[in-house]
Amino acid sequence: MLAFASADLKKESIETVIVPVCADREIHTDQAIAAILKKVKKLKEFSGAKDEEIVLYKPSGTAVNRVIFLGLGKFDEVVPESLRAMAGKAAKKCIQMKLDVVHMLAPSAARISLKHDLMLEALMEGICLGNHLFDKYLETKKQKPLKKVFLLVEDAAAKKYGGLPSRVEAICAGTALARDWVNLPPNDKRPEQFADLILSRARKAKLAVRIMPEKELQRKGFGALLAVGAGSTNRPRMVLLERKSKGAGRTIALVGKGVTFDSGGINLKPSASMDDMKMDMSGAAAVAATLITIAKLKPKMNVIGAIPIVENMPSGSAARPGDIIKSYSGKNIEIGNTDAEGRLILADAMAYVSRRYKPQILIDLATLTGACVVALGEKIAGVFSDDDGLAEAIVASGKKTHERCWRMPLPPDYKEQLKSDFADISNMGSTRWGGAITAALFLSEFVKDTRWAHIDIAGPAYAKKGDAYCTAGGTGFGVRLLCDLIDKL
Ligand code: BES
Ligand code: ZN
Ligand code: ZN
């Protein structure tokens, strides 16, 4: 879908060219475009202010059918995220205009102060992510995504960064896949179905993949996962994905929370809090989509994905508050609240992965707590880790990809709050406060010597409203972050 190209806009009859424009600086070296822009700016029709746009048809001096100028605002304020957002809006506009193939003129390397590859990457990501639609449940598909986007760059750049379009395309396809899974209604992604969806995509990507059915979970002692699934007729599954890299000595394990619907269980959520709880498998979606993506990117690292999948429902067979269950690790957990189910299924998955694969690094992604959304809002994930290097690497990847992460504390004395009078540990903190921290501290009890980080994505995994390069619903948060991180670890 994405490719670099070069074109002489004076001579080549191109259908549509999108041109990003700064308000106070010329960022292109193409003379035909510069001449048109000068005229347009003189007529005060368009200044290049942020979000401004104007479409010109067959402008003189070019052979182009349609030029779309899009404002980026002040030159000094242009950052990769503003390019991503502009390009996302451009894709959405072109979809509205029912276009199939578009060209975008990249700012000239000599005229922009950002690193050249970061600029090109941001432009392509924005357009590719903005091109994602979820229309599976619409009888008539009113909108069609763009089929092909060419980024017009100088020849030297096309040579130097030749691998970039396919890399960006792979990562954006992974993000779109995660979004699609999150957007599926819960009646179409019950644990067995969701596991099968992952299986078929993983097989296509040539990953090693295995689904543990309920019997095996029982045999192996996944007591916490089974307890969360006990209330639903749709039985839990565990999906294991694996990509080995020849010669790589190190293994990273990714664990993703896969609650296909979180009703709260016997501690039933109030109606309003239940509305979007089909999104409670966003960690699972991000982990599975990341593995499918890196099968194409081929980093020098062995990567494991472990995905516990379950539906949290109330019923006569559901786990109760007060129940004590034996987790995979051997620890007995008292269920203080059946709505704190994510940490239970993660505890089993993390203990299993640590024992079975002995990874050097373990990272879990989970829509774990409302408290994390209270702390950081809807756009920023919380990172919890005792490992400074790992936490910093995650925060840095968050900056680079704009999947923003903020480090949170893991104070050992707060573990006091997880004490149970009857069992080794409770899944519920004894106070209402600091819920994202106590949840993370609970998880920390199920990893031993492995370098570990927990990323609470309850806020950024799902968007009530669409924005520049994402429609309302699943955001695919985590895929771009993890792909960047795995390359850097
Ligand atoms: N899935 C929820 C967390 C959540 C909340 C995700 C809002 C996305 C948006 C999780 O299972 C949950 O219910 N957590 C409880 C924990 C509490 C019972 C200790 C919470 O956050 O209230
Ligand atoms: Zn819950
Ligand atoms: Zn949950």
Side-chain angles (χ1 to χ4, degrees):
M1 183 253 175
L2 280 176
F4 285 143
S6 63
D8 181 349
L9 299 179
K10 280 197 217 73
K11 293 193 191 126
E12 283 174 56
S13 61
I14 289 175
E15 185 61 29
T16 307
V17 180
I18 302 158
V19 182
V21 176
C22 279
D24 50 355
R25 182 101 55 110
E26 176 56 80
I27 53 174
H28 299 285
T29 44
D30 187 288
Q31 289 180 352
I33 291 294
I36 305 165
L37 201 53
K38 220 171 163 184
K39 263 193 246 165
V40 174
K41 282 194 173 175
K42 224 180 209 159
L43 290 171
K44 298 203 167 47
E45 292 274 301
F46 173 87
S47 69
K50 205 168 166 47
D51 295 337
E52 223 179 14
E53 52 182 58
I54 189 167
V55 187
L56 304 181
Y57 296 93
K58 296 191 189 298
S60 65
T62 74
V64 179
N65 231 342
R66 188 189 283 112
V67 175
I68 306 176
F69 287 118
L70 287 177
L72 277 172
K74 288 195 187 119
F75 178 84
D76 286 340
E77 288 166 15
V78 174
V79 289
E81 178 59 11
S82 49
L83 295 172
R84 220 176 265 122
M86 179 279 304
K89 282 182 207 144
K92 288 188 170 173
K93 183 168 177 65
C94 293
I95 292 172
Q96 293 298 334
M97 294 167 79
K98 301 195 186 313
L99 305 178
D100 265 343
V101 180
V102 301
H103 290 67
M104 178 181 277
L105 185 62
S108 166
R111 298 233 166 142
I112 204 124
S113 48
L114 301 171
K115 270 190 75 195
H116 197 195
D117 54 337
L118 292 185
M119 169 182 86
L120 300 175
E121 187 178 29
L123 289 171
M124 289 191 288
E125 272 179 6
I127 211 155
C128 211
L129 293 171
N131 197 33
H132 170 253
L133 302 169
F134 181 77
D135 57 9
K136 188 173 190 312
Y137 296 88
L138 298 181
E139 196 175 21
T140 48
K141 323 269 183 216
K142 284 190 205 116
Q143 299 191 317
K144 283 204 190 99
L146 303 170
K147 288 202 184 91
K148 188 95 202 171
V149 176
F150 293 101
L151 191 62
L152 297 171
V153 296
E154 288 125 350
D155 290 338
K159 243 195 199 147
K160 191 165 176 196
Y161 305 117
L164 202 54
S166 61
R167 180 184 162 86
V168 171
E169 192 169 333
I171 293 173
C172 293
T175 304
L177 178 61
R179 288 178 182 177
D180 285 344
W181 280 334
V182 173
N183 290 341
L184 281 179
N187 57 327
D188 276 348
K189 58 175 173 196
R190 299 169 207 257
E192 185 185 358
Q193 283 171 301
F194 183 34
D196 285 341
L197 289 174
I198 296 173
L199 179 83
S200 83
R201 294 301 292 250
R203 278 201 181 134
K204 263 193 216 143
K206 301 201 165 50
L207 292 168
V209 51
R210 191 157 69 86
I211 299 180
M212 284 190 200
E214 191 184 13
K215 284 258 153 53
E216 188 177 351
L217 296 173
Q218 284 164 346
R219 201 165 5 94
K220 291 200 158 86
F222 285 84
L225 176 60
L226 289 163
V228 176
S232 172
T233 45
N234 305 300
R235 314 304 299 152
R237 293 287 185 274
M238 173 79 107
V239 181
L240 295 156
L241 304 166
E242 192 169 353
R243 181 187 173 268
K244 282 214 171 101
S245 163
K246 266 188 211 118
R250 291 183 311 145
T251 300
I252 181 169
L254 305 173
V255 179
K257 171 177 173 182
V259 177
T260 62
F261 186 72
D262 183 9
S263 71
I266 296 296
N267 294 104
L268 197 65
K269 284 181 184 293
S271 305
S273 313
M274 217 187 283
D275 279 351
D276 297 324
M277 277 304 135
K278 67 170 186 180
M279 61 75 94
D280 212 17
M281 37 56 77
S282 298
V287 166
T290 297
L291 267 113
I292 288 162
T293 305
I294 60 154
K296 293 184 206 156
L297 303 182
K298 305 189 182 358
K300 278 208 166 47
M301 172 104 85
N302 301 317
V303 188
I304 304 294
I307 303 169
I309 308 178
V310 73
E311 191 179 46
N312 188 22
M313 297 292 272
S315 79
S317 59
R320 293 150 289 252
D323 278 3
I324 295 177
I325 53 174
K326 194 173 198 70
S327 69
Y328 180 85
S329 72
K331 276 196 172 71
N332 296 300
I333 306 170
E334 180 179 12
I335 299 183
N337 190 313
T338 62
D339 197 12
E341 83 299 338
R343 63 197 77 181
L344 294 174
I345 70 170
L346 291 171
D348 271 2
M350 283 166 35
Y352 174 76
V353 158
S354 305
R355 188 180 294 173
R356 165 82 175 71
Y357 299 99
K358 304 196 170 33
Q360 279 69 48
I361 298 175
L362 196 163
I363 298 175
D364 77 84
L365 254 79
T367 47
L368 203 64
T369 65
C372 200
V373 193
V374 173
L376 298 174
E378 291 176 307
K379 306 256 170 151
I380 302 175
V383 178
F384 300 79
S385 181
D386 280 330
D387 186 307
D388 292 345
L390 185 56
E392 281 158 21
I394 293 169
V395 171
S397 286
K399 266 201 188 125
K400 157 92 201 297
T401 57
H402 204 68
E403 294 198 325
R404 286 168 290 177
C405 295
W406 192 261
R407 189 170 182 190
M408 302 279 278
L410 272 177
D413 55 319
Y414 279 30
K415 278 190 190 165
E416 186 69 28
Q417 295 183 39
L418 292 167
K419 281 206 168 132
S420 156
D421 290 332
F422 306 103
D424 298 315
I425 192 167
S426 165
N427 77 332
M428 176 74 188
S430 54
T431 74
R432 292 175 353 88
W433 313 114
I437 298 173
T438 42
L441 285 168
F442 178 91
L443 296 179
S444 74
E445 290 295 306
F446 298 86
V447 263
K448 288 197 180 105
D449 314 317
T450 318
R451 297 175 69 192
W452 163 72
H454 157 60
I455 310 181
D456 193 332
I457 59 168
Y462 198 81
K464 279 255 182 230
K465 275 201 300 194
D467 63 15
Y469 53 90
C470 189
T471 47
T475 61
F477 187 101
V479 177
R480 288 193 297 126
L481 178 80
L482 291 172
C483 288
D484 185 73
L485 180 71
I486 289 169
D487 259 356
K488 289 185 178 149
L489 287 174

